[in-house]
Amino acid sequence: MKAALWILLSVATLPAQDGKIRVIAFGAHPDDCDIRAAGTATQFAALGHAVKFVAVTNGDAGHQSEGGGALAKRRRAEATESARRLGITYEVLDNHDGELLPSLDVRQQIIRRIRQWNADIVLSPRPNDYHPDHRYTGVLVNDAAYMVVVPNVCPDTPPLRKNPVFLYFEDGFQRPQPFRPDVAVAIDDVFDKKVAALDAHVSQVYEWLPWVDGKLDTVPKDSAERKQWLAATRRRPVSPAVRRTLEKWYGAERAQSIKAAEAFEICEYGRQPAEDEIRKLFPMLK
Ligand SMILES: [Zn+2]
């Protein structure tokens, strides 16, 4: 049994049958994947690969004056518009915002989504995030990382014959250990597209998040002005660790000029790719 499983996990051939790399990203809320990976996602899409963002909750708690089904409906429409702008697919699962638990039910929802997408790459938050929904999204994807290849788990959905590579989004949390950037993608050329995707999440980027931060009065009313404001507030300096990773993948000279990047840490539960496989999986790294 053990040997058979080892073979099952080792017969990886990349890219997938039709040459498309298939990426699925899980965020707790309908804007989380966009914040962490929209620039990378739209580069995959532009190269002809398939990307899906999944919000594990419907976002029905994320607003200061709206909520429930009406807010969930609004946020689903925002996610759909973001996906249209990025050239990807977006699915919002109907679990309540602020109440996510690492239950068997939600684990099975995630296992089925990864299998149905026939994923080569799975992205998620790390399981040590400040927000319980983010944290449990990390736990849930970790819990699915091996089960996606086990035929007797969710037998209604055919198992994957190759285990995907699982990676975490970048974060700033230091305990139990800081984020380790294994892969860093330059997003300067698509930064405007990332801002356009975030701009679709009106209820969040112009209403809820500024309200939480006590900065609602700094948001411009005019749609062009507020998009500029959004771009300025979303510019984050590249950390020294991410800069070193950019040097590894793009070369020292090119890396120095990169102003914006998205970084990912390889989770130790999925397939462990060697450097040449990472270059096949992330064809924009050149
Ligand atoms: Zn979130």
Side-chain angles (χ1 to χ4, degrees):
M1 181 68 177
K2 255 194 161 163
L5 284 174
W6 185 85
I7 291 163
L8 189 69
L9 295 171
S10 304
V11 290
T13 48
L14 284 167
Q17 308 82 320
D18 59 358
K20 282 192 181 185
I21 297 160
R22 304 190 61 82
V23 182
I24 190 167
F26 292 89
H29 308 113
D31 66 332
D32 290 355
C33 292
D34 316 52
I35 291 168
R36 294 300 178 190
T40 303
T42 202
Q43 288 184 68
F44 272 117
L47 291 167
H49 304 295
V51 184
K52 179 174 186 173
F53 283 178
V54 179
V56 181
T57 79
N58 60 19
D60 61 356
H63 204 275
Q64 68 275 30
S65 57
E66 300 174 16
L71 178 59
K73 191 176 170 194
R74 185 181 179 199
R75 297 194 66 180
R76 188 180 300 273
E78 290 173 347
T80 301
E81 175 58 19
S82 171
R84 192 187 65 76
R85 295 179 186 184
L86 293 171
I88 67 166
T89 300
Y90 217 126
E91 182 178 7
V92 178
L93 303 182
D94 209 13
N95 302 300
H96 285 302
D97 184 355
E99 298 181 1
L100 188 66
L101 290 171
S103 65
L104 183 58
D105 170 46
V106 186
R107 186 200 300 173
Q108 290 174 340
Q109 294 174 29
I110 288 175
I111 289 169
R112 291 190 178 100
R113 293 315 182 282
I114 295 171
R115 289 178 175 178
Q116 287 160 353
W117 196 247
N118 192 18
D120 300 300
I121 294 174
V122 182
L123 306 176
S124 76
R126 293 198 298 160
N128 57 317
D129 198 283
Y130 79 104
H131 192 302
D133 291 347
H134 298 184
R135 188 155 61 237
Y136 293 137
T137 297
V139 171
L140 285 155
V141 176
N142 279 357
D143 289 350
Y146 173 66
M147 293 302 166
V148 293
V149 301
V150 179
N152 277 326
V153 172
C154 299
D156 58 354
T157 311
L160 295 182
R161 295 305 311 275
K162 59 181 176 59
N163 207 9
V165 176
F166 289 74
L167 300 102
Y168 298 122
F169 300 134
E170 184 178 5
D171 64 58
F173 301 103
Q174 299 298 304
R175 293 175 184 170
Q177 68 275 320
F179 171 81
R180 182 194 66 211
D182 294 316
V183 177
V185 177
I187 62 162
D188 292 326
D189 294 347
V190 293
F191 190 75
D192 289 352
K193 274 204 152 191
K194 177 166 185 169
V195 172
L198 294 172
D199 171 72
H201 295 279
V202 174
S203 71
Q204 303 302 294
V205 298
Y206 301 128
E207 298 174 16
W208 167 238
L209 296 172
W211 183 85
V212 170
D213 290 340
K215 294 178 181 166
L216 196 54
D217 58 349
T218 69
V219 181
K221 298 282 176 283
D222 174 75
S223 66
E225 276 178 39
R226 72 183 188 184
K227 204 168 167 185
Q228 277 184 348
W229 170 90
L230 179 64
T233 57
R234 286 289 160 184
R235 277 225 172 266
R236 300 276 152 79
V238 174
S239 75
V242 170
R243 181 76 63 195
R244 284 193 293 277
T245 305
L246 289 168
E247 287 171 6
K248 174 179 175 179
W249 295 108
Y250 290 92
E253 195 178 336
R254 168 95 200 277
Q256 284 317 310
S257 66
I258 295 170
K259 293 189 179 66
E262 289 169 347
F264 307 95
E265 173 179 334
I266 296 168
C267 166
E268 60 188 339
Y269 303 149
R271 196 170 68 255
Q272 302 298 292
E275 188 171 327
D276 62 334
E277 190 184 353
I278 293 174
R279 286 200 185 276
K280 283 183 195 153
L281 285 170
F282 289 86
M284 67 288 285
L285 294 176
K286 54 187 167 205

